[in-house]
Amino acid sequence: MSNTVKVAITGAAGQIGYSLVFRIASGELFGPDTKVVLSLLEIPQAVTALEGLAMELNDCAFPTLAGIEINSDAEKGFDGVNWAILVGAKPRGPGMERNDLISENGPIFTGQGKALQRGASDVRAVVVGNPCNTNALIAAKNAGDVPFNRFSAMTMLDENRARYQLAAKAGVAVTEVQNVTIWGNHSATQYPDFFNATIGGKKATDVISDHDWLKGDFITTVQKRGAAIIKARGKSSAASAANAALDHVKNFHFPTPDGKWFSAAVPSDGSYGVEEGLMFSFPIRTKDDGSYEIVQGLDHNEFAKEKLAKTEAELKGEREIVKDLL
Ligand code: NAI
């Protein structure tokens, strides 16, 4: 592997961008021996803010930061990038329904998919900007010959939220909680799967005896955590989202340790009966050769099957709204 990685970040002048870029530049993501070139992208009105961000990045004197590029043209910004972290999107405005947001943000991702195809030859892209699963589908479908499986959407924040909730309930360190899969859409229909999760190597359902909590408050707390943070903080989650984006890229960049997996929305290959081609969050493992696989053979009882069907139906509905962009 080349020891310089070029990372594009769209929406870099936004809240998540501000929490993300310094950590990437510091070498935290790819390690101390890999240099990073940051390609920061924004809408034209925010380019001046990016210039300020670049000054701050330079003033950190990070040994691993090998260059900064600033662009408002996606084709230029994606030129030669190895990773594209697509954060930039319009936030939901007052009175706006989720479906309006889907229609508003969709066109951003047709343009970015096309630009990725033209600019980047060996790229992986993760979509953070909401609705991230459907935006990732749009970008992938517009990216010509960039392989479909190079695109993913971020559900790692949901997984981290779920791990924390289980750890707090069980009274253990968060590191004891493993293999919590987020299935489906990054939305309130997502299914945080505690049945296949482990705590201290044991089944989570054996460690936590309050199964009503697992089936009820646990799931809804994870599903609605984003809204709870907006209510408390007055702004949407940003540092935790940036942290999850780092986890997501690391998870795909480095082989997954034996016996473990992580959550990410990737194109369905029909696993677990999910319609092929939907951008659906699954349990994933990265192999030694850098490719990934969807973990097979996890059991789903009737409770889980119902949740999976609901989140799959929602994703099909979102796909229908943007069908002209695919
Ligand atoms: P923000 O509003 O602070 O920043 C977004 C930035 O994107 C703005 O600076 C804006 O100018 C820029 N932008 C808009 N259109 C663009 C385009 N076409 N090209 C480049 N830049 C563009 O928002 P924040 O808090 O940073 O969140 C960004 C997105 O991430 C939102 O869609 C939010 O819903 C989503 N999000 C996703 C999470 C997940 O778990 N997948 C978690 C938290 C947020």
Side-chain angles (χ1 to χ4, degrees):
M1 190 188 77
S2 146
N3 57 1
T4 300
V5 179
K6 187 168 180 184
V7 183
I9 299 155
T10 69
Q15 308 192 78
I16 294 176
Y18 197 71
S19 293
L20 190 57
V21 293
F22 295 92
R23 290 180 64 184
I24 298 176
S26 74
E28 180 185 337
L29 185 50
F30 300 112
D33 300 328
T34 301
K35 302 260 186 258
V36 178
V37 174
L38 288 178
S39 175
L40 309 177
L41 274 128
E42 260 295 349
I43 53 174
Q45 305 89 294
V47 163
T48 312
L50 285 188
E51 286 164 2
L53 185 63
M55 289 183 218
E56 282 207 73
L57 279 163
N58 286 328
D59 292 350
C60 292
F62 289 124
T64 41
L65 181 59
I68 305 171
E69 295 173 13
I70 291 176
N71 277 295
S72 59
D73 174 335
E75 207 168 313
K76 285 187 192 147
F78 291 150
D79 187 36
V81 300
N82 306 106
W83 264 100
I85 306 179
L86 307 181
V87 181
K90 291 182 197 160
R92 198 192 294 205
M96 220 173 154
E97 297 296 328
R98 186 174 166 87
N99 288 356
D100 300 331
L101 185 73
I102 293 169
S103 312
E104 280 275 322
N105 276 327
I108 294 177
F109 292 87
T110 54
Q112 292 185 346
K114 290 186 175 113
L116 275 167
Q117 184 204 9
R118 285 194 287 265
S121 58
D122 179 22
V123 68
R124 283 179 181 226
V126 51
V127 178
V128 176
N130 280 319
C132 61
N133 297 54
T134 295
N135 290 340
L137 183 67
I138 295 169
K141 289 287 184 184
N142 283 277
D145 53 9
V146 179
F148 199 12
N149 65 7
R150 294 298 187 92
F151 286 84
S152 58
M154 186 176 93
T155 53
M156 198 60 210
L157 178 56
D158 308 290
E159 178 181 325
N160 286 340
R161 288 167 170 170
R163 287 180 59 214
Y164 168 72
Q165 291 299 324
L166 292 174
K169 183 76 174 175
V172 300
V174 80
T175 47
E176 296 290 302
V177 182
Q178 296 293 337
N179 296 349
V180 186
T181 311
I182 303 299
W183 297 85
N185 202 1
H186 167 69
S187 75
T189 67
Q190 65 175 275
Y191 169 47
D193 177 5
F194 53 87
F195 283 111
N196 289 295
T198 59
I199 301 178
K202 297 186 191 128
K203 281 167 73 93
T205 46
D206 289 343
V207 177
I208 296 175
S209 55
D210 186 352
H211 289 191
D212 287 345
W213 178 83
L214 286 169
K215 289 181 176 169
D217 283 355
F218 163 67
I219 291 183
T220 50
T221 300
V222 176
Q223 289 173 332
K224 296 183 180 161
R225 187 70 156 182
I229 288 169
I230 293 175
K231 190 160 175 255
R233 206 175 87 90
K235 291 181 192 165
S236 63
S237 39
S240 55
N243 179 67
L246 291 180
D247 283 347
H248 180 107
V249 174
K250 274 186 214 159
N251 284 335
F252 278 99
H253 194 76
F254 299 104
T256 311
D258 285 346
K260 294 195 178 158
W261 63 79
F262 62 90
S263 306
V266 297
S268 172
D269 60 357
S271 291
Y272 297 95
V274 175
E275 188 181 305
E276 201 174 331
L278 274 187
M279 201 56 84
F280 194 93
S281 184
F282 284 107
I284 307 287
R285 286 182 48 79
T286 297
K287 300 193 264 184
D288 290 340
D289 66 3
S291 64
Y292 71 81
E293 61 189 2
I294 297 172
V295 174
Q296 301 296 317
L298 300 185
D299 282 335
H300 289 309
N301 57 18
E302 286 311 311
F303 176 87
K305 282 182 187 152
E306 198 186 298
K307 302 270 183 227
L308 287 177
K310 190 173 176 197
T311 195
E312 183 180 358
E314 184 183 50
L315 280 169
K316 287 180 183 165
E318 289 187 11
R319 184 182 59 187
E320 185 59 25
I321 296 167
V322 300
K323 64 178 189 292
D324 295 343
L325 304 177
L326 301 177

